[in-house]
Amino acid sequence: MPLVSIVVPVYKVEKYLERCVESLRGQTLKEIEIILVDDGSPDRSGTICDELQKLDERIRVIHKTNGGLSSARNAGMAAATGKYIGFVDSDDDVEPDMYEKMYLAAERENVDFVMADYVRIREDGSRYLKTLKIREGLYKKEDLRQEIFPQLIMGEDLDYGPLLSVWHCLYRTEFLCANHLQFDEEVRWSEDNIFSAVAGYCADSFYYLKGAGLYHYHQNPGTITTSYRKGAWQIYSTMNRHLHDFFDWVEDYDFSRQLKLHMIYYACNSIGQEFCLPEKEAKKAIRQILESEQLKDAFSHCSMPNVSWKLKIQLYLMRWRQTGLLYRLKKS
């Protein structure tokens, strides 16, 4: 049995795939399996997966019809046989000792998951270390309740807390199975949001390798995070509803305000995207967001978060559904 299974969803990444896989093949931890999940990619990515499999017996390839990133990750998780599971996006790469460091930390501390920092690499090649505003080291259940739960879903600054992306984490497979953790296949973007929040709530412990930029996140053009997303508001509304489905029923902590702030955050995000449309279309799309019952509910009995005065003005205009004024503010 491999010590670590690394799940790599593959879709339209023929330009980057070999770079990603070579960084995994070169890991100092040799007892790994690399699961490439070809999610019905229309380019040569599936063929490249098969070619790479011939180079290394640790590489396994799954070909499936397109179902989105969540579906691909779930397929990889179902096939994984390692004691731990990690996730790598196929247009990124990692440090040679990433999985050795994370595996050793997980074994030494006996935790449910380990999280490291990452290096963000811009299109021009410049890079910087992305570190989190939490302390390094071991977090037990009471530490999670006191230090992580208050920002598990959304912080008072209307930004995400520390537990967001899965690709700079390593999870104990037994922990994932015991809590039936999977990616939400109805949510095709920002799917890490639900998975990480639920994992953070269910965990009894985790360890943070602060300052260790082990993962390389590439800001590649044309990827989900750099593209306009038509229908984003519907996806984000579904994500928020599914978060309610889980967190509304927990009894040991009140996440209701965070869920409201989460909906408001994604309304801001979606409205911002609509400004690339012509004015008439943009205003129509913004009006539909502002008239959403989910957003109205989020603003009800919700005091303003701790944000800049300009954002507060925007939020007031959103609360009172002032489409025209909001459009002029954002365009100014």
Side-chain angles (χ1 to χ4, degrees), residues 23 50 91 128 145 152 161-162 261 291:
S23 75
D50 293 333
D91 55 350
Y128 65 94
R145 284 183 55 81
L152 180 64
L261 294 180
E291 293 294 338

Side-chain angles (χ1 to χ4, degrees), residues 115-134:
M115 180 172 63
D117 284 334
Y118 63 96
V119 176
R120 182 179 286 269
I121 304 174
R122 300 185 181 93
E123 288 183 51
D124 62 6
S126 62
R127 55 179 65 201
Y128 65 94
L129 177 69
K130 181 67 174 178
T131 192
L132 303 171
K133 297 177 182 178
I134 58 173

Side-chain angles (χ1 to χ4, degrees), residues 153-154 158 160 164 187 189-194 229 232-233 235-237 239-240 243 259-273 289 295 318:
I153 300 170
M154 185 62 59
L158 211 60
Y160 277 113
L164 175 60
V187 178
W189 311 310
S190 302
E191 66 295 319
D192 290 16
N193 184 193
I194 299 178
R229 289 164 278 190
W233 175 243
I235 293 292
Y236 296 146
S237 296
M239 174 172 57
N240 187 262
L243 282 167
L259 290 166
K260 287 178 180 287
L261 294 180
H262 179 271
M263 189 76 272
I264 293 169
Y265 169 91
Y266 273 109
C268 292
N269 182 294
S270 299
I271 288 170
Q273 289 193 44
I289 294 171
L295 184 58
M318 290 169 60

Side-chain angles (χ1 to χ4, degrees), residues 160-214:
Y160 277 113
L163 305 187
L164 175 60
S165 301
V166 301
W167 30 255
H168 58 122
C169 296
L170 183 67
Y171 301 90
R172 189 182 296 271
T173 305
E174 187 178 83
F175 161 70
L176 297 179
C177 293
N179 291 283
H180 310 288
L181 274 160
Q182 285 197 313
F183 292 90
D184 190 328
E185 296 189 18
E186 282 192 65
V187 178
R188 296 178 68 89
W189 311 310
S190 302
E191 66 295 319
D192 290 16
N193 184 193
I194 299 178
F195 186 97
S196 297
V198 176
Y201 175 78
C202 292
D204 288 323
S205 58
F206 83 94
Y207 193 87
Y208 174 35
L209 292 167
K210 192 177 184 69
L214 302 179

Side-chain angles (χ1 to χ4, degrees), residues 6 8 16-30 32 34 52 58 88-99 214-216 218:
I6 306 168
V8 185
Y16 312 109
L17 182 56
E18 291 183 56
R19 177 186 68 191
C20 173
V21 174
E22 285 307 305
S23 75
L24 300 178
R25 290 183 65 206
Q27 287 296 296
T28 55
L29 181 69
K30 301 303 180 185
I32 64 173
I34 304 165
L52 291 169
R58 299 173 299 172
V88 173
D89 287 353
S90 47
D91 55 350
D92 295 331
D93 60 272
V94 303
E95 287 288 317
D97 58 354
M98 174 171 172
Y99 285 105
L214 302 179
Y215 189 95
H216 299 163
H218 291 264

